[in-house]
Amino acid sequence: MNQPSDDVLRDMHRRMVRIRVFETEAGRMAEAGKIPGALHLYVGEEAVAAGVMVHLSDDDWITSTHRGHGHLIAKGGEFDRMFAELYGRATGYCRGKGGSMHISNMELGMLGANGIVGAGPPIAVGAAFSTKFRNTDRVAVSFFGDGASNEGSFHEAANMAALYKLPAVFVCENNGYGEYTPQKNHQAIKDVADRAAGYGMPGVVVDGMDAVAVYEAAGAAIERARAGDGPTLLECKTYRFFDHVGVRGMGLSYRTDEELQEWQKRDPIHMFEAQLAQLGVLSKDAAAAVYDAVSADVKAGIEFAETSPLPDPATLLDDVYA
Amino acid sequence: MAEREITYVAAIAEGATTILNEQDSAFIAGEDVAGAGGVFGSYRGLLDEFGPGRIVDTPISEEGIVGLGVGAAATGLRPVIDIMFMDFMGECMDEIANQMAKMRYMFGGAAKLPITVVTMSGAGMNMAAQHSQSLEAWLCHLPGLKVVTPATPYDAKGLLIAASRDDNPVFVVMNKLSLRTSGPVPEEAYTVPIGQAKVVREGEDLTIVTYSRMVREALTAAETFAKEGIDAEVIDLRSLQPLDIDTVLASVRKTGRAVVVHEAVRFAGLGGEIAAQIQEQAFDDLDAPVARVGAPFSPVPFSSVLEQTYLPNAEKIVAEAKHVIGL
Ligand SMILES: Cc1ncc(C[n+]2csc(CCOP(=O)(O)OP(=O)(O)O)c2C)c(N)n1
Ligand SMILES: [Mg+2]
């Protein structure tokens, strides 16, 4: 079931590369002092966003996290307006008011990155309620971390989604850490998906480094939601290759280089490219062309941001109210 | 006492160390306080010194963490609870407002809640709307809580220790942008009494009442005034609840003019309360209405130009104070 077509495979690959290159450059710009504030980068986790988002259209909603650029990119975010937002420019998706932690785009169905851990799931439940209320077949997908799965807000949201049989999907991006705390020190279970039983919904664990595995599991969950059969808790085991904040972060030794290297051997993009090459879906040259195009896009995005005007101070009080 | 210059964040760490040393029933709990030593470095080294029983990493569960503090305090421990950013009080407000603040009163005085909550306020670091707020007014509106706001390394250590020795819930609202500032701090344990303001600059012509990071902005404003021959007195409240209004009144009776300054949103901020108390009790001594400086009525924006427009600063204090002086 849910076998991805060659086009879908190439589409997923392109989304993953877009995230990787964008995030790598954003990290570089942050370390160069060009992007202010805190950036939580998504490198290493690309297969999750791509494997889920390829099933969604602009009319489907997602809620994101503090680590939200990847979600927005996979949902169709444009680099120019994204970089402009990270740079705090007037041309950014949030007119410079949100920044990395609040980047959002309503037209793309992206209800915001979020500075509050665990804030997304209840909002996704509201979006799912809304789509059901209006009798559409749209779904709401909530991304959240292993750490966020310990917030009461997540539990309340999951219970309500199951109770009302809402078209929601809860995607737990389990990267093994909440900030600097390993999962074993923040919860007594290994699989967050185990919790699904307590809410009365299916819980599925999938290899979050395997784009096709994510694609298949997410497809089943989203199909189930669209069919009116209620929510699913989909846990994707993944890993972030950069630090919690920025690239090198605070330099704390909370995880080992060996552990990082083990996970990097299973780099989701490299594994996927090997798979695609073997299937004859994407040649080496074709893959290289994707990187070239995406890199040009990133370059243009940064240039757009750097040449964009700063917000007019007179806009400070705009949009506090409708 | 042996004194040396240390940073605000080092002073917090010394205060925390003192607490764990002097109180066997004290423990510190919060997100990434142990292994990481706190995301701001406030607790660095404490895990090695005291072990995981005394400094406890928690899940990301603010309501659970604060509730744990309430329950532990009610049953005989002296918890120090760390809420990383003040903005995250949103996640645990029931435990704060309906449990911690009221339990003793509702139980007819039978329960005692010696709990200290350490949290971090303030903007100026491009952390945007959910990591930059100054929400002390939320806390000051809740009978049962005490609220202190250290502006200096000395006060950070002294107020933290005072909070932990107090038998009531005390919020120690630290300030992010002050973390790397330095000042003289005694090596020994000491307290800064809760409920005592400090005149940090004496003057005759105008009283600037403020707290937390705005103390530095007020002092800069006072220097600007000094060049124009105006002698401003600056009061650091240090404690917002209880509020040392007597120190404020004594100053206003001398100068006849007052400006209240805080980084928090001006509307319904502490400034309104303080201005009201001044006019209630020193109306006849006032030569002008009490002025207020605070943030405009908007969330904290991300972009630097907007954030700097948003933030109160010395320049804005000077501009507002000039109306009071009649310049
Ligand atoms: C309510 C709240 N508590 C704490 C934080 C601080 N914080 C930011 S990210 C983070 C870790 C989140 O871990 P997880 O959900 O696993 O996401 P990851 O960073 O691993 O992607 C924490 C504790 C926050 N932003 N919001
Ligand atoms: Mg995590």
Side-chain angles (χ1 to χ4, degrees):
Chain A
M1 52 154 211
N2 283 317
Q3 286 294 327
S5 68
D6 290 358
D7 279 345
V8 165
L9 290 171
R10 282 189 286 262
D11 182 359
M12 282 202 293
H13 174 260
R14 190 170 156 278
R15 292 182 203 230
M16 289 167 72
V17 172
R18 279 177 70 78
I19 297 172
R20 175 69 55 96
V21 180
F22 180 96
E23 291 290 70
T24 304
E25 281 310 305
R28 217 195 299 277
M29 291 302 149
E31 296 208 328
K34 291 192 168 187
I35 294 177
L39 288 197
H40 303 85
L41 300 168
Y42 198 73
V43 171
E45 310 189 14
E46 294 91 345
V48 181
V52 173
M53 242 66 85
V54 77
H55 295 284
L56 305 180
S57 78
D58 292 355
D59 301 333
D60 293 307
W61 297 103
I62 64 165
T63 63
S64 174
T65 68
H66 54 288
R67 203 174 299 292
H69 310 165
H71 303 138
L72 179 52
I73 292 168
K75 197 106 193 340
E78 299 288 347
F79 286 175
D80 47 2
R81 301 202 56 200
M82 286 188 69
F83 271 117
E85 189 56 37
L86 302 192
Y87 272 78
R89 303 297 166 129
T91 51
Y93 272 133
C94 311
R95 302 178 185 179
K97 286 183 169 163
S100 166
M101 266 195 288
H102 308 292
I103 200 159
S104 57
N105 186 258
M106 296 296 285
E107 281 85 49
L108 295 172
M110 200 295 198
L111 289 164
N114 211 310
I116 300 298
V117 168
I123 295 170
V125 167
F129 184 92
S130 170
T131 64
K132 188 174 174 181
F133 185 94
R134 289 179 289 108
N135 279 319
T136 71
D137 67 345
R138 299 294 98 188
V139 301
V141 178
S142 179
F143 293 88
F144 61 99
D146 50 302
S149 75
N150 296 323
E151 288 280 16
S153 55
F154 163 66
H155 299 275
E156 296 184 18
N159 180 54
M160 289 172 78
L163 175 68
Y164 300 139
K165 261 196 169 186
L166 294 178
V169 179
F170 298 94
V171 178
C172 180
E173 303 180 310
N174 184 350
N175 59 13
Y177 293 84
E179 281 185 357
Y180 314 101
T181 298
Q183 189 193 1
K184 67 173 167 31
N185 291 352
H186 75 61
Q187 52 193 199
I189 52 172
K190 282 210 169 102
D191 295 334
V192 174
D194 286 353
R195 292 184 171 168
Y199 313 120
M201 68 172 84
V204 180
V205 180
V206 73
D207 177 1
M209 306 308 256
D210 180 343
V212 174
V214 174
Y215 172 89
E216 287 172 355
I222 290 165
E223 220 167 83
R224 190 181 129 81
R226 281 203 210 286
D229 294 331
T232 301
L233 172 52
L234 173 61
E235 175 182 6
C236 304
K237 306 277 193 191
T238 182
Y239 201 82
R240 64 172 155 67
F241 290 173
F242 292 169
D243 210 285
H244 171 63
V245 187
V247 180
R248 281 185 294 269
M250 306 203 303
L252 294 169
S253 58
Y254 60 97
R255 61 182 198 184
T256 62
D257 290 344
E258 293 74 51
E259 183 183 283
L260 171 63
Q261 284 153 14
E262 276 311 303
W263 279 92
Q264 279 173 329
K265 281 185 201 154
R266 306 195 62 247
D267 184 312
I269 299 184
H270 296 171
M271 289 203 309
F272 193 38
E273 283 172 353
Q275 214 176 340
L276 295 185
Q278 204 174 24
L279 291 170
V281 173
L282 191 75
S283 68
K284 261 212 159 86
D285 286 351
V290 172
Y291 281 91
D292 288 346
V294 170
S295 297
D297 227 15
V298 163
K299 211 170 147 225
I302 290 174
E303 201 173 299
F304 175 81
E306 292 187 348
T307 55
S308 283
L310 293 167
D312 180 348
T315 63
L316 175 66
L317 295 176
D318 291 355
D319 301 318
V320 177
Y321 296 100
Chain B
M1 286 203 274
E3 227 179 47
R4 69 262 115 93
E5 292 261 325
I6 61 170
T7 59
Y8 190 92
V9 66
I12 300 174
E14 282 196 6
T17 305
T18 302
I19 293 168
L20 293 187
N21 271 324
E22 70 181 18
Q23 299 175 25
D24 290 341
S25 54
F27 69 96
I28 299 171
E31 294 158 17
D32 280 314
V33 294
V39 299
F40 302 105
S42 308
Y43 309 104
R44 206 139 287 165
L46 268 67
L47 177 62
D48 289 341
E49 197 172 340
F50 297 99
R54 301 291 304 286
I55 180 147
V56 184
D57 273 333
T58 65
I60 311 172
S61 307
E62 288 78 12
E63 188 171 10
I65 303 164
V66 176
L68 178 142
V70 171
T75 54
L77 301 186
R78 303 189 71 87
V80 176
I81 300 298
D82 184 272
I83 298 293
M84 195 185 295
F85 287 80
M86 184 172 217
D87 314 68
F88 308 161
M89 287 198 314
E91 310 288 301
C92 47
M93 208 55 190
D94 180 70
E95 288 295 337
I96 294 170
N98 289 321
Q99 315 306 325
M100 186 196 295
K102 298 177 173 55
M103 188 185 261
R104 176 177 175 83
Y105 185 83
M106 295 187 300
F107 289 10
K112 198 172 76 177
L113 286 125
I115 174 171
T116 300
V117 182
V118 179
T119 191
M120 212 48 82
S121 72
M125 298 170 75
N126 300 96
M127 296 292 283
Q130 296 172 341
H131 284 72
S132 304
Q133 298 173 86
S134 297
L135 298 172
E136 58 274 9
W138 289 16
L139 299 168
C140 292
H141 196 64
L142 293 167
L145 303 184
K146 295 186 181 183
V147 185
V148 298
T149 52
T152 63
Y154 183 93
D155 286 354
K157 179 173 171 180
L159 283 168
L160 181 55
I161 295 171
S164 77
R165 290 184 189 172
D166 198 293
D167 279 342
N168 296 287
V170 182
F171 277 74
V172 187
V173 181
M174 305 288 184
N175 176 264
K176 294 184 218 58
L177 220 51
S178 303
L179 288 166
R180 307 287 154 218
T181 60
S182 309
V185 175
E187 278 174 22
E188 295 81 3
Y190 62 93
T191 58
V192 169
I194 294 172
Q196 246 178 51
K198 186 179 177 192
V199 178
V200 291
R201 186 187 196 282
E202 289 190 24
E204 300 295 326
D205 303 330
L206 163 77
T207 302
I208 306 175
V209 183
T210 188
Y211 56 91
S212 191
R213 185 172 75 80
M214 285 298 129
V215 171
R216 291 199 293 285
E217 295 295 327
L219 287 169
T220 307
E223 290 310 312
T224 306
F225 277 131
K227 286 184 202 129
E228 301 178 22
I230 298 161
D231 193 14
E233 180 145 304
V234 178
I235 295 177
D236 177 1
L237 290 170
R238 301 199 292 193
S239 168
L240 304 181
Q241 179 55 256
L243 180 70
D244 180 6
I245 198 68
D246 290 343
T247 296
V248 175
L249 292 173
S251 174
V252 174
R253 290 195 174 109
K254 178 175 68 173
T255 63
R257 299 168 199 277
V259 186
V260 190
V261 179
H262 49 62
E263 184 180 319
V265 169
R266 202 178 95 122
F267 188 94
L270 260 287
E273 174 67 32
I274 294 161
Q277 291 202 27
I278 294 172
Q279 67 84 16
E280 280 165 0
Q281 298 183 59
F283 189 77
D284 292 341
D285 297 296
L286 286 173
D287 296 323
V290 179
R292 291 180 291 150
V293 176
F297 204 61
S298 101
V300 183
F302 164 71
S303 184
S304 298
V305 304
L306 295 177
E307 191 178 31
Q308 292 310 318
T309 306
Y310 171 92
L311 278 174
N313 57 24
E315 218 173 290
K316 292 178 190 173
I317 297 170
V318 169
E320 195 61 40
K322 282 194 169 168
H323 296 305
V324 178
I325 301 164
L327 287 174

